Coordinates of all heavy atoms in Angstrom, one line a residue:
A1450 N 72.1 43.6 -64.5 CA 70.7 43.2 -64.4 C 70.3 42.8 -63.0 O 69.2 43.1 -62.5 CB 70.5 42.0 -65.3
E1451 N 71.2 42.2 -62.2 CA 70.9 41.8 -60.9 C 70.7 43.0 -60.0 O 69.8 43.1 -59.1 CB 72.0 40.9 -60.3 CG 72.0 39.5 -60.9 CD 73.3 38.7 -60.6 OE1 74.3 39.4 -60.1 OE2 73.3 37.5 -60.8
C1452 N 71.6 44.0 -60.2 CA 71.5 45.3 -59.4 C 70.1 46.0 -59.7 O 69.5 46.4 -58.7 CB 72.6 46.2 -59.8 SG 72.7 47.7 -58.8
V1453 N 69.7 46.0 -60.9 CA 68.4 46.6 -61.2 C 67.3 45.8 -60.6 O 66.3 46.4 -60.1 CB 68.2 46.7 -62.8 CG1 66.8 47.2 -63.1 CG2 69.3 47.7 -63.3
L1454 N 67.4 44.5 -60.6 CA 66.3 43.6 -60.1 C 66.1 43.9 -58.6 O 65.1 43.6 -58.0 CB 66.6 42.2 -60.3 CG 66.1 41.6 -61.7 CD1 66.7 40.2 -61.9 CD2 64.6 41.5 -61.7
M1455 N 67.2 44.3 -57.9 CA 67.1 44.5 -56.5 C 66.1 45.6 -56.1 O 65.7 45.7 -54.9 CB 68.5 44.9 -55.9 CG 69.5 43.8 -55.8 SD 71.1 44.3 -55.2 CE 72.0 42.8 -55.2
S1456 N 65.7 46.4 -57.0 CA 64.7 47.4 -56.7 C 63.3 47.0 -56.7 O 62.4 47.7 -56.5 CB 64.8 48.6 -57.8 OG 64.4 48.2 -59.0
R1457 N 63.1 45.7 -57.0 CA 61.7 45.1 -56.9 C 61.1 45.3 -55.6 O 61.8 45.5 -54.6 CB 61.8 43.6 -57.2 CG 62.2 43.3 -58.7 CD 62.2 41.8 -58.8 NE 63.0 41.1 -57.9 CZ 63.0 39.8 -57.6 NH1 62.2 39.0 -58.2 NH2 63.9 39.3 -56.8
P1458 N 59.8 45.3 -55.5 CA 59.1 45.5 -54.2 C 59.6 44.5 -53.1 O 60.0 43.4 -53.5 CB 57.7 45.3 -54.5 CG 57.5 45.7 -55.9 CD 58.8 45.2 -56.6
Q1459 N 59.7 44.9 -51.9 CA 60.2 44.0 -50.8 C 59.3 42.8 -50.7 O 58.1 42.9 -50.9 CB 60.3 44.8 -49.5 CG 61.3 45.9 -49.5 CD 61.4 46.5 -48.1 OE1 60.6 46.2 -47.2 NE2 62.3 47.5 -48.0
G1460 N 59.9 41.7 -50.3 CA 59.1 40.5 -50.1 C 59.3 39.5 -51.3 O 59.0 38.3 -51.1
L1461 N 59.7 40.0 -52.4 CA 60.0 39.0 -53.5 C 61.3 38.4 -53.3 O 62.3 39.0 -52.8 CB 60.0 39.8 -54.9 CG 58.7 40.5 -55.2 CD1 58.8 41.2 -56.6 CD2 57.5 39.4 -55.3
R1462 N 61.4 37.1 -53.7 CA 62.6 36.3 -53.4 C 63.8 36.8 -54.3 O 63.6 37.0 -55.5 CB 62.3 34.8 -53.6 CG 61.3 34.3 -52.6 CD 61.1 32.8 -52.8 NE 62.4 32.1 -52.5 CZ 62.5 30.8 -52.7 NH1 61.6 30.1 -53.4 NH2 63.7 30.2 -52.4
W1463 N 64.9 36.9 -53.7 CA 66.1 37.3 -54.4 C 67.1 36.1 -54.4 O 67.2 35.5 -53.3 CB 66.8 38.5 -53.8 CG 68.1 38.8 -54.3 CD1 69.3 38.6 -53.7 CD2 68.5 39.3 -55.6 NE1 70.4 38.9 -54.5 CE2 69.9 39.4 -55.7 CE3 67.8 39.7 -56.7 CZ2 70.6 39.8 -56.8 CZ3 68.4 40.2 -57.8 CH2 69.8 40.2 -57.8
P1464 N 67.8 35.7 -55.4 CA 67.9 36.4 -56.7 C 66.9 35.9 -57.8 O 67.1 36.3 -58.9 CB 69.3 36.1 -57.1 CG 69.5 34.7 -56.6 CD 68.8 34.6 -55.3
W1465 N 66.0 35.1 -57.4 CA 65.1 34.5 -58.4 C 64.1 35.5 -58.9 O 63.4 36.2 -58.1 CB 64.4 33.3 -57.8 CG 65.4 32.2 -57.5 CD1 65.9 31.3 -58.3 CD2 66.0 32.0 -56.2 NE1 66.8 30.5 -57.6 CE2 66.9 30.9 -56.3 CE3 65.8 32.7 -54.9 CZ2 67.6 30.5 -55.2 CZ3 66.6 32.2 -53.9 CH2 67.4 31.1 -54.0
A1466 N 64.0 35.6 -60.2 CA 63.0 36.6 -60.8 C 62.2 35.9 -61.9 O 62.7 34.9 -62.5 CB 63.8 37.7 -61.4
S1467 N 61.0 36.3 -62.1 CA 60.1 35.7 -63.1 C 60.6 36.1 -64.5 O 61.2 37.2 -64.6 CB 58.7 36.1 -62.8 OG 58.5 37.5 -63.1
P1468 N 60.2 35.4 -65.5 CA 60.5 35.8 -66.9 C 59.9 37.2 -67.2 O 60.6 38.0 -67.9 CB 59.8 34.7 -67.7 CG 59.8 33.5 -66.9 CD 59.6 34.0 -65.5
A1469 N 58.8 37.5 -66.6 CA 58.2 38.9 -66.8 C 59.0 40.0 -66.2 O 59.2 41.0 -66.8 CB 56.8 38.9 -66.3
E1470 N 59.6 39.7 -65.0 CA 60.4 40.7 -64.4 C 61.7 40.8 -65.2 O 62.2 42.0 -65.3 CB 60.7 40.2 -63.0 CG 59.5 40.3 -62.0 CD 59.8 39.7 -60.7 OE1 60.6 38.7 -60.6 OE2 59.1 40.1 -59.7
R1471 N 62.3 39.8 -65.7 CA 63.5 39.9 -66.4 C 63.3 40.6 -67.7 O 64.1 41.4 -68.2 CB 64.1 38.5 -66.7 CG 64.6 37.8 -65.4 CD 65.4 36.5 -65.7 NE 65.8 35.9 -64.5 CZ 66.8 36.3 -63.7 NH1 67.5 37.3 -64.1 NH2 67.1 35.6 -62.6
R1472 N 62.1 40.4 -68.3 CA 61.8 41.2 -69.6 C 61.7 42.7 -69.2 O 62.1 43.5 -70.0 CB 60.5 40.7 -70.2 CG 60.6 39.3 -70.9 CD 59.4 39.0 -71.8 NE 58.2 38.9 -71.0 CZ 57.8 37.7 -70.5 NH1 58.5 36.6 -70.6 NH2 56.6 37.7 -69.8
A1473 N 61.1 43.0 -68.1 CA 60.9 44.4 -67.7 C 62.3 45.0 -67.5 O 62.5 46.2 -67.8 CB 60.1 44.5 -66.4
V1474 N 63.2 44.3 -66.9 CA 64.6 44.8 -66.7 C 65.2 45.1 -68.0 O 65.8 46.1 -68.2 CB 65.4 43.8 -65.9 CG1 66.9 44.2 -65.9 CG2 65.0 43.7 -64.4
N1475 N 65.1 44.1 -69.0 CA 65.7 44.3 -70.3 C 65.1 45.5 -71.0 O 65.8 46.2 -71.7 CB 65.6 43.0 -71.1 CG 66.6 41.9 -70.7 OD1 67.6 42.2 -70.1 ND2 66.2 40.7 -70.9
R1476 N 63.8 45.7 -70.9 CA 63.1 46.8 -71.5 C 63.7 48.1 -71.0 O 63.9 49.1 -71.7 CB 61.6 46.8 -71.4 CG 60.9 45.8 -72.2 CD 59.4 46.0 -72.3 NE 58.8 46.0 -71.0 CZ 58.3 44.9 -70.4 NH1 58.3 43.7 -71.1 NH2 57.8 44.9 -69.2
T1477 N 63.9 48.2 -69.7 CA 64.3 49.4 -69.0 C 65.8 49.7 -69.4 O 66.1 50.8 -69.7 CB 64.2 49.3 -67.5 OG1 62.8 48.9 -67.1 CG2 64.6 50.6 -66.8
L1478 N 66.6 48.6 -69.4 CA 68.0 48.8 -69.8 C 68.1 49.2 -71.2 O 68.9 50.1 -71.6 CB 68.8 47.5 -69.5 CG 69.0 47.1 -68.1 CD1 69.7 45.7 -68.0 CD2 69.8 48.1 -67.3
D1479 N 67.2 48.7 -72.1 CA 67.2 49.0 -73.5 C 66.8 50.5 -73.7 O 67.4 51.2 -74.5 CB 66.3 48.1 -74.2 CG 66.3 48.3 -75.7 OD1 67.5 48.3 -76.3 OD2 65.3 48.5 -76.4
R1480 N 65.9 50.9 -72.9 CA 65.4 52.3 -72.9 C 66.6 53.3 -72.6 O 66.7 54.4 -73.2 CB 64.3 52.5 -72.0 CG 63.7 54.0 -72.0 CD 62.6 54.1 -70.9 NE 62.0 55.4 -71.0 CZ 61.1 55.8 -70.1 NH1 60.7 55.0 -69.1 NH2 60.6 57.0 -70.2
L1481 N 67.5 52.9 -71.7 CA 68.6 53.7 -71.3 C 69.9 53.4 -72.1 O 70.9 54.0 -71.8 CB 68.9 53.5 -69.8 CG 67.7 53.9 -68.9 CD1 68.1 53.8 -67.5 CD2 67.2 55.3 -69.2

């Protein structure tokens, strides 16, 4: 999940992610 989150647009703070971003990661991982 952390590796996938690293593809977020530059400028966003790492490793902190919003709940919406984490949901997006889970949806994408689930799709695959």
Side-chain angles (χ1 to χ4, degrees):
E1451 289 168 343
C1452 184
V1453 173
L1454 273 170
M1455 286 180 178
S1456 69
R1457 294 180 303 165
Q1459 292 183 358
L1461 297 180
R1462 296 183 66 190
W1463 169 256
W1465 298 276
S1467 69
E1470 288 170 334
R1471 295 191 181 278
R1472 287 194 296 270
V1474 169
N1475 285 335
R1476 283 196 303 270
T1477 305
L1478 292 175
D1479 185 51
R1480 181 183 185 186
L1481 300 183

